[in-house]
């Protein structure tokens, strides 16, 4: 048994170690904090610029309170201008304009209505004055709060409706004790107008951040992420053991597409407040980007399901037993990925989708049709089990992967049509793609006595001939397998 002196020494050592450990954790956090700040700023340098812009706007509006001439005209209500800048100044131009206009319109309407209710209550006498004001406050606060539940009103005017309730109650209720209600309403409206104007001016004319441009680039980047996954999926899924290192980490970029709905809707609402800028005209169809984004997410959901088969142990049976299935699946995946990358580039550069994207989609659709015919015609050939009895579990992975790839091809076609429709809108400026002249294979004259009609075979005709030859080859393989069975 340890003596009391030993126990006291152990307790002292434990307390000292815990104290050192706690101080070490605090120091690690203090040292790590600047690194996090640096990384946060490097991820998007516009955040640093936005912070400096807010500081500049608050400094400019503070002059109303510091300079005596401004203070004599506005008094203590100059603080409302500072509060307006703080609550109105947002990251993007559209968000700042939306909040600024909402606050200005709501303040003017609520101020005029509050002054009218105060004047009407004064005519009703001293007894009915507070009763009438209370009735108006209750009715307006309740009705405007109910209007805030409407989705369209909440998306664009929620902040304005909130300011309307606040300003009306402030003016109408305070007017019961303060007779200078008209002067108070005038000063409040003036300071809010000044603060909103300074915030909008700094936001628009100093390194502006456009919500519409962010939405445009975000949708294009999401399509490109899906294309990158599809280009690498076929090689990763059908690879033979020992063929190379895994590239799964590179294929996880599509995750951010799955949760992009809320950010796209917010950017679309802000973009509708923005004036003409850069390549985007007035009345640009920002809401149509939500349709393209929805198609992209639906495609990403199929890709997410498809990604689950990369780590599945069931896939190994199908990897090596049917080269035709493997080739068709890889072609569907790679051609769809190339098509999506072409469409992403066309959308980002605002160029009409070129024939390359259509060509990739056509090839992926042809591969999908061939694979469907194979699955429909002979399940044993797809499973590659020869004369043995076909087990359902052996062909489920192939059928599932083929079905998902077929759906992805369909969504790639839908995305292409959506981008083409966006390019056809009246208020959208898409550049014409430089299209190459279709190449043609012509028969040559071998001799003067062998002159005949010249047959021209276009690329589309050549592709259809190749598909027919492929179908004939597949049919012959099925016949041989049936005879073997």
């Amino acid at each position: 048994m340890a003596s009391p002196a030993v126990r006291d020494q152990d307790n002292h050592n434990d307390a000292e170690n815990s104290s050192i450990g706690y101080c070490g954790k605090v120091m690690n956090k203090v040292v790590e904090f600047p690194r996090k700040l640096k990384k946060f700023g490097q991820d998007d340098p516009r955040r640093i610029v936005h912070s400096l812009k807010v500081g500049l706007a608050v400094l400019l509006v503070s002059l109303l309170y510091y300079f005596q001439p401004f203070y004599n005209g506005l008094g203590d209500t100059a603080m409302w201008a500072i509060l307006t800048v703080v609550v109105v100044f947002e990251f993007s131009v559209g968000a700042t304009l939306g909040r600024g206009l909402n606050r200005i319109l709501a303040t003017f309407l609520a101020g005029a209505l509050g002054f009218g209710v105060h004047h009407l209550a004064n005519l009703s006498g001293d007894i009915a004055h507070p009763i009438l004001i209370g009735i108006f406050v209750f009715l307006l606060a309740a009705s405007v709060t109910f209007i805030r539940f409407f989705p369209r009103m909440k998306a664009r005017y929620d902040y304005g409706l909130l300011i309307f309730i606040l300003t009306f109650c402030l003016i109408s209720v305070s007017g019961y004790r303060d007779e200078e209600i008209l002067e108070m309403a005038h000063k409040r409206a003036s300071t809010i107008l000044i603060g909103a104007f300074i915030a909008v001016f700094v936001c628009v004319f100093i390194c502006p951040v456009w919500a519409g441009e962010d939405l445009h680039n975000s949708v294009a980047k999401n399509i490109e992420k899906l294309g990158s996954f599809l280009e690498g999926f076929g090689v990763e899924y059908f690879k033979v053991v020992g063929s190379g290192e895994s590239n799964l980490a590179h294929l996880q970029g599509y995750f951010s597409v799955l949760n992009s709905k809320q950010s796209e809707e917010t950017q679309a609402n802000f973009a509708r407040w923005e004036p003409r800028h850069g390549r985007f005209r007035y009345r640009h169809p920002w809401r149509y980007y939500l349709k393209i984004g929805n198609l992209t997410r639906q495609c990403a959901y199929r890709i997410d399901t498809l990604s689950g088969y990369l780590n599945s142990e069931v896939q190994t049976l199908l990897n090596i037993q049917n080269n035709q299935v493997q080739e068709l699946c890889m072609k569907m995946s790679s051609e769809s990925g190339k098509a999506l990358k072409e469409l992403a580039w066309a959308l980002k550069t605002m160029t009409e989708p070129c024939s390359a994207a259509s060509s990739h989609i056509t090839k992926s659709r042809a591969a999908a049709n061939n694979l469907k015919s194979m699955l429909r015609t002979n399940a044993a050939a797809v499973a590659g089990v020869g004369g043995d009895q076909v087990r359902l579990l052996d062909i489920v992975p192939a059928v599932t992967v083929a079905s998902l790839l077929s759906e992805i091809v369909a969504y790639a076609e839908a995305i292409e049509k959506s981008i083409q429709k966006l390019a056809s809108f009246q208020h959208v400026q898409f550049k014409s793609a430089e299209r190459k002249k279709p190449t043609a294979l012509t028969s040559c004259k071998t001799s003067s006595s062998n002159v005949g009609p010249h047959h021209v075979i276009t690329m589309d005709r050549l592709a259809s001939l190749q598909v027919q030859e492929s179908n004939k080859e597949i049919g012959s393989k099925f016949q041989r397998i049936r005879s073997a069975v």
Side-chain angles (χ1 to χ4, degrees):
M1 184 174 180
S3 63
V6 174
R7 289 198 299 269
D8 292 341
Q9 182 65 28
D10 292 340
N11 293 334
H12 177 73
N13 293 335
D14 292 340
E16 185 177 358
N17 291 333
S18 62
S19 176
I20 294 176
Y22 178 77
C23 294
K25 292 180 180 179
V26 173
M27 289 300 297
N28 290 334
K29 290 183 178 180
V30 171
V31 174
E32 188 179 1
F33 183 70
R35 297 177 182 174
K36 290 183 177 180
L37 287 180
K38 183 179 179 180
K39 184 179 181 303
F40 196 67
Q42 289 177 345
D43 291 341
D44 191 354
R46 298 181 302 176
R47 296 167 179 166
I48 301 176
V49 178
H50 173 71
S51 304
L52 298 177
K53 287 162 62 177
V54 173
L56 177 61
V58 173
L59 174 62
L60 292 176
V61 79
S62 300
L63 299 178
L64 299 176
Y65 201 82
Y66 293 148
F67 285 92
Q68 192 66 33
F70 293 139
Y71 184 79
N72 292 336
L74 298 175
D76 292 334
T77 56
M79 292 300 298
W80 284 104
I82 300 177
L83 295 176
T84 300
V85 170
V86 173
V87 299
V88 164
F89 209 117
E90 292 288 339
F91 184 72
S92 65
V93 175
T96 304
L97 281 173
R99 275 185 165 263
L101 293 177
N102 270 281
R103 190 174 182 87
I104 291 173
L105 293 176
T107 301
F108 275 96
L109 291 176
L113 189 60
F115 178 77
V117 168
H118 174 73
H119 182 69
L120 182 63
N122 283 335
L123 297 178
S124 62
D126 295 338
I127 299 177
H129 188 178
I131 299 175
L132 192 61
I133 289 180
I135 292 174
F136 273 102
V137 167
F138 172 78
L139 291 177
L140 281 174
S143 58
V144 173
T145 301
F146 181 74
I147 292 174
R148 291 179 62 197
F149 287 105
F150 288 87
R152 292 180 64 88
M153 299 298 292
K154 189 173 185 64
R156 300 199 68 187
Y157 307 107
D158 184 69
Y159 179 71
L161 295 173
L162 187 65
I163 295 299
F164 179 87
I165 298 175
L166 176 63
T167 305
F168 176 79
C169 295
L170 180 64
I171 292 178
S172 59
V173 174
S174 61
Y176 181 72
R177 300 292 183 182
D178 190 359
E179 295 297 331
E180 300 296 334
I181 182 174
L182 181 61
E183 182 180 359
M184 181 183 65
H186 174 264
K187 288 183 177 180
R188 176 171 169 78
S190 300
T191 52
I192 289 177
L193 183 63
I194 294 172
F197 175 78
I198 292 176
V200 170
F201 180 85
V202 174
C203 185
V204 172
F205 293 100
I206 300 179
C207 300
V209 177
W210 303 100
E213 188 173 354
D214 285 350
L215 174 63
H216 179 87
N217 295 331
S218 175
V219 173
K221 189 174 182 180
N222 288 341
I223 298 175
E224 184 180 3
K225 290 178 181 178
L226 302 189
S228 299
F229 175 89
L230 291 173
E231 277 191 326
F233 171 77
V235 177
E236 186 67 29
Y237 181 76
F238 290 105
K239 68 180 181 180
V240 182
V241 178
S243 60
E245 296 182 357
S246 177
N247 198 23
L248 290 177
H250 179 68
L251 302 179
Q252 307 304 317
Y254 73 92
F255 278 147
S256 60
V257 184
L258 301 175
N259 301 317
S260 60
K261 181 178 180 180
Q262 185 175 1
S263 62
E264 289 178 358
E265 289 180 348
T266 302
Q267 289 174 344
N269 289 326
F270 291 156
R272 297 175 66 183
W273 291 101
E274 294 177 346
R276 176 175 180 173
H277 58 279
R279 302 169 293 174
F280 309 106
R281 296 181 175 182
Y282 291 107
R283 299 176 62 186
H284 191 83
W286 298 114
R287 300 291 298 179
Y288 196 77
Y289 281 85
L290 299 181
K291 180 179 180 180
I292 301 177
N294 184 49
L295 291 173
T296 306
R297 276 189 301 277
Q298 294 298 325
C299 185
Y301 295 148
R302 273 70 181 175
I303 285 178
D304 189 42
T305 306
L306 200 63
S307 178
Y309 285 88
L310 291 176
N311 297 322
S312 176
E313 297 179 356
V314 185
Q315 63 163 325
T316 56
L317 176 66
L318 275 297
N319 282 355
I320 58 177
Q321 290 189 359
N322 196 313
N323 293 331
Q324 190 68 24
V325 174
Q326 177 177 336
E327 291 176 3
L328 291 175
C329 287
M330 290 184 65
K331 189 172 183 180
M332 291 166 60
S333 179
S334 62
E335 294 295 337
S336 299
K338 292 176 182 178
L340 289 176
K341 279 195 169 183
E342 289 284 348
L343 294 174
W345 177 85
L347 180 61
K348 187 174 183 178
T349 59
M350 296 189 71
T351 306
E352 294 180 2
C354 59
S355 57
S358 301
S359 175
H360 291 309
I361 290 178
T362 302
K363 293 177 182 177
S364 61
R365 173 53 65 190
N369 292 335
N370 290 339
L371 186 57
K372 284 182 180 179
S373 63
M374 289 181 62
L375 295 173
R376 192 181 301 115
T377 305
N378 197 319
V382 175
V385 295
D388 298 334
Q389 187 177 4
V390 180
R391 294 183 304 169
L392 181 61
L393 292 179
D394 291 339
I395 63 173
V396 165
V399 175
T400 305
V401 171
S403 176
L404 290 172
L405 287 174
S406 299
E407 291 184 19
I408 290 172
V409 172
Y411 277 109
E413 292 178 339
I415 292 173
E416 181 193 22
K417 292 178 181 179
S418 299
I419 295 177
Q420 289 177 347
K421 187 175 181 180
L422 176 64
S424 65
F425 278 114
Q426 181 180 2
H427 301 283
V428 179
Q429 274 187 321
F430 267 64
K431 298 178 292 184
S432 298
E434 296 181 359
R435 303 180 183 273
K436 297 181 179 180
K437 295 182 179 180
T439 58
L441 300 177
T442 59
S443 60
C444 301
K445 297 180 181 179
T446 56
S447 64
S448 59
S449 62
N450 200 18
V451 177
H454 298 279
H455 300 282
V456 180
I457 304 176
T458 60
M459 295 302 293
D460 295 336
R461 176 62 178 165
L462 183 61
S464 63
L465 291 176
Q466 291 175 350
V467 172
Q468 292 177 4
E469 292 176 359
S470 178
N471 289 334
K472 291 180 181 178
E473 183 180 355
I474 294 171
S476 62
K477 288 183 178 180
F478 288 160
Q479 293 296 333
R480 290 196 299 269
I481 293 172
R482 287 196 185 98
S483 62
V485 173

